[in-house]
């Protein structure tokens, strides 16, 4: 039982490049989330999904896109990377409804130069 | 609206107690507490639901005052392993289960 798996762990991008951050969970959770974490700011919600085929914007969605074609996978796409997207990205999932906590992946540290 | 955590940081000696507070300006359905160690992912500690309750395991417990939209995390007889940054995450009634996290409280436990 791997939980929530994120790849890659680290990545350096040049301004204007694109990439996809991968997130997979093996717990059959319906709810999945992408957060970014900047020093001293807590975690900000980028996008979320309540089930396969359903996604919606969070607090800071600009510059990102997501898809949810299966229950297990929730990739985050960065188009035209900018220095402001330098951050640590966490994927999380939640099962059993709203009375349960989040399980986070180990994170992706992204630097845009 | 982002919940407000206090204090921002606290330094303890082993065996001392600490309280971390989380306050929201919106009516809450639930409050979550997470601990994050440096370079690692946040780890779920506990959830408190609307209805006002108190929970705990080991020497870490929490309360939720629904009317005041506040929650407090209590760490008693702190251990070195308690060091890390503690985040509260609040969920509003219509948020579809999305959490808004506070900025965190950095706890350092010294020998």
């Amino acid at each position: 039982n791997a939980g929530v798996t994120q790849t890659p762990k680290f990545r350096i991008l040049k301004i204007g490049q694109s990439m996809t951050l991968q997130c997979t969970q093996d717990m059959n959770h319906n709810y999945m989330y992408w957060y970014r974490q900047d020093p001293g700011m807590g975690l900000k919600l980028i996008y979320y999904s309540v089930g396969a085929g359903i996604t919606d914007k969070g607090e800071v969605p600009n510059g990102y896109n997501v898809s949810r074609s299966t229950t297990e996978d929730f990739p985050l796409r960065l188009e035209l990377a900018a220095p402001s997207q330098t951050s640590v990205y966490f994927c999380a999932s939640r099962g059993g409804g709203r009375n349960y906590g989040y399980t986070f992946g180990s994170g992706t540290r992204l630097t845009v130069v | 609206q982002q919940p407000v955590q206090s204090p921002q940081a606290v330094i303890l000696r082993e065996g001392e107690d600490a309280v971390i507070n989380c306050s929201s300006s919106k009516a809450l359905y639930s409050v979550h507490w997470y601990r994050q160690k440096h370079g690692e992912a946040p780890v779920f500690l506990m959830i408190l639901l609307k209805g006002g309750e108190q929970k705990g395991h080991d020497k870490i417990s929490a309360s939720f005052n629904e009317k005041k939209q506040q929650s407090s995390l209590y760490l008693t007889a702190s251990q070195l392993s308690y060091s890390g940054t503690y985040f509260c995450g609040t969920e509003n009634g219509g948020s579809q289960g999305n959490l808004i996290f506070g900025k965190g409280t950095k706890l350092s436990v010294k020998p």
Side-chain angles (χ1 to χ4, degrees):
Chain A
N1 193 345
V4 179
T5 302
Q6 287 185 241
T7 56
K9 292 194 183 304
F10 304 93
R11 183 73 185 267
I12 298 175
L13 276 184
K14 293 186 177 179
I15 294 171
Q17 287 185 322
S18 300
M19 75 165 294
T20 299
L21 281 67
Q22 302 292 343
C23 176
T24 299
Q25 53 94 5
D26 62 358
M27 299 173 285
N28 202 33
H29 286 175
N30 284 325
Y31 293 80
M32 295 189 74
Y33 310 88
W34 275 105
Y35 284 87
R36 60 175 287 172
Q37 185 175 36
D38 301 304
M41 300 303 293
L43 297 110
K44 301 285 189 183
L45 182 64
I46 305 171
Y47 270 94
Y48 67 96
S49 169
V50 299
I54 306 169
T55 63
D56 209 343
K57 296 177 181 179
E59 186 182 0
V60 290
N62 291 343
Y64 307 95
N65 270 303
V66 293
S67 60
R68 184 96 183 268
S69 57
T70 66
T71 299
E72 295 77 20
D73 299 312
F74 191 40
L76 177 71
R77 178 81 177 163
L78 278 73
E79 304 282 1
L80 300 174
S84 61
Q85 293 177 304
T86 294
S87 189
V88 180
Y89 292 84
F90 287 102
C91 178
S93 72
R94 182 185 205 180
R98 294 170 69 185
N99 296 351
Y100 292 81
Y102 286 14
T103 300
F104 283 88
S106 57
T108 295
R109 183 174 294 275
L110 176 68
T111 303
V112 182
V113 296
Chain B
Q1 197 124 14
Q2 189 173 34
V4 177
Q5 286 186 236
S6 63
Q8 289 184 323
V10 59
I11 299 174
L12 298 175
R13 293 286 180 191
E14 263 187 303
E16 291 182 338
D17 302 340
V19 181
I20 299 171
N21 299 302
C22 176
S23 179
S24 174
S25 60
K26 287 196 165 188
L28 299 176
Y29 173 83
S30 70
V31 179
H32 293 219
W33 286 97
Y34 293 80
R35 176 170 61 209
Q36 184 179 33
K37 294 188 178 286
H38 184 69
E40 299 181 7
V43 174
F44 174 68
L45 294 175
M46 64 187 77
I47 180 174
L48 298 108
L49 301 175
K50 181 179 174 179
E53 60 172 340
Q54 191 148 355
K55 269 193 177 180
H57 58 85
D58 289 336
K59 295 172 183 174
I60 300 176
S61 61
S63 63
F64 176 26
N65 186 321
E66 179 187 344
K67 288 184 180 178
K68 291 186 177 180
Q69 296 150 201
Q70 293 174 347
S71 178
S72 294
L73 185 71
Y74 308 94
L75 301 103
T76 57
S78 59
Q79 306 166 15
L80 295 176
S81 62
Y82 286 4
S83 292
T85 301
Y86 289 79
F87 293 96
C88 69
T90 57
E91 181 182 355
N92 303 324
S95 69
Q96 293 199 65
N98 301 336
L99 294 182
I100 303 172
F101 286 91
K103 292 184 178 181
T105 296
K106 186 173 182 179
L107 178 74
S108 300
V109 181
K110 309 289 186 186

